[in-house]
Amino acid sequence: MPLKVTVDLAACQGYACCMMEAPTVFDLDESAGKATVLQPSPSDEQRAEVENAARTCPAKAITVTDG
């Protein structure tokens, strides 16, 4: 089942931890100072790094769900 990744921009503080954990899935919009999702439906091979990104987000702004 494919993953779905979202970032709550109201909660995001721009720490960029997600970008360090999963650089192919997340980026930082430097003008807004917020994370952006490059791949809203990453592959199963990226599951561990995406889940780590969500777990390490200090603002708890990342949601990862199946499908």
Side-chain angles (χ1 to χ4, degrees):
M1 185 176 285
L3 296 175
K4 182 178 178 189
V5 179
T6 57
V7 174
D8 179 348
L9 296 178
C12 179
Q13 298 297 304
Y15 293 111
C17 297
C18 57
M19 200 171 82
M20 290 182 268
E21 291 293 330
T24 61
V25 178
F26 300 97
D27 199 3
L28 189 65
D29 179 346
E30 293 185 25
S31 64
K34 305 282 183 172
T36 59
V37 179
L38 301 173
Q39 293 186 47
S41 297
S43 68
D44 281 336
E45 290 78 27
Q46 295 168 299
R47 177 181 291 271
E49 65 185 36
V50 169
E51 288 176 345
N52 280 339
R55 202 171 15 262
T56 61
C57 177
K60 304 298 181 206
I62 300 169
T63 302
V64 180
T65 57
D66 286 315

